[in-house]
């Protein structure tokens, strides 16, 4: 009798996924620290920019947790976070170049994350690629 089990899904928290999770955690710490300090000390100067940095920090945290969980729920969470993160960095990046006055101070996503070596632009792409790579293969 043939084996009819579904092909096993690769884990998102194994191999290169561990490095991806570590980078997400590093950016979560950096963005949380920066946003927390900015909100606490000079919120009235650029509230939108600082709240966007706090949003980015929250997304980094949730994405890291989703990737680390490695189950189907974690994958869905990580996928949503990576998609929102990519849309955010592209949207804020375009707006920050088109009309710099909208962001009187930097956000994590300003100018496509140039202040962070463009890693905020690359990170969600790598996350989405990793989720694609570790998806459950379709049965043949």
């Amino acid at each position: 009798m043939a084996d009819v089990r579904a092909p096993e899904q690769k884990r998102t928290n194994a191999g290169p996924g561990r490095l991806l999770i570590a980078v997400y955690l590093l950016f979560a710490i950096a963005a949380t620290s920066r946003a927390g300090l900015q909100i606490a000390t000079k919120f009235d100067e650029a509230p939108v920019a600082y709240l966007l940095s706090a949003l980015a920090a929250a997304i980094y945290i949730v994405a890291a947790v989703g990737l680390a969980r490695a189950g189907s729920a974690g994958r869905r969470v990580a996928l949503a976070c990576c998609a929102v993160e990519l849309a955010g960095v592209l949207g804020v990046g375009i707006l920050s170049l088109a009309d710099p006055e909208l962001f009187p101070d930097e956000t994590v996503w300003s100018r496509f994350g140039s202040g962070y070596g463009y890693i905020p632009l690359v990170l969600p792409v790598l996350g989405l690629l990793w989720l694609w790579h570790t998806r459950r293969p379709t049965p043949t």
Side-chain angles (χ1 to χ4, degrees), residues 4 11 20 23 27 35 52 55 57-59 64-66 83 87 91 97 108-109 122 124 129:
V4 292
R11 293 176 37 194
L20 188 61
V23 173
F27 268 76
L52 278 172
L55 174 64
I59 290 171
V65 170
L97 291 175
V108 174
W109 295 338
V122 175
L129 288 172

Side-chain angles (χ1 to χ4, degrees), residues 19-28 56 59-60 63-64 67 81-82 85-86 89 108-109 112 117-130:
L19 178 60
L20 188 61
I21 293 165
V23 173
Y24 265 107
L25 289 173
L26 178 65
F27 268 76
I59 290 171
Y60 293 144
L67 288 166
C81 286
C82 289
E85 178 188 355
L86 183 58
V89 75
V108 174
W109 295 338
F112 304 104
Y118 297 98
I119 294 172
L121 177 62
V122 175
L123 195 57
V125 173
L126 292 176
L128 291 168
L129 288 172
W130 182 245

Side-chain angles (χ1 to χ4, degrees), residues 3-4 30 92-93 104 116:
D3 188 1
V4 292
V92 171
Y116 288 87

Side-chain angles (χ1 to χ4, degrees), residues 33-139:
S33 300
R34 179 181 183 168
L37 181 65
Q38 290 171 324
I39 289 169
T41 60
K42 52 184 185 175
F43 182 73
D44 56 325
E45 292 177 23
V48 173
Y50 304 147
L51 290 174
L52 278 172
S53 288
L55 174 64
I59 290 171
Y60 293 144
I61 292 166
V62 176
V65 170
L67 288 166
R69 288 202 48 199
S72 60
R75 290 179 66 78
R76 286 192 301 272
V77 166
L79 179 63
C81 286
C82 289
V84 169
E85 178 188 355
L86 183 58
V89 75
L90 290 174
V92 171
I94 290 168
L95 286 173
S96 65
L97 291 175
D99 190 0
E101 294 168 4
L102 287 174
F103 302 99
D105 202 354
E106 292 283 314
T107 74
V108 174
W109 295 338
S110 294
R111 296 187 333 260
F112 304 104
S114 65
Y116 288 87
Y118 297 98
I119 294 172
L121 177 62
V122 175
L123 195 57
V125 173
L126 292 176
L128 291 168
L129 288 172
W130 182 245
L131 289 166
W132 174 261
H133 176 74
T134 59
R135 74 193 184 288
R136 175 171 283 131
T138 55

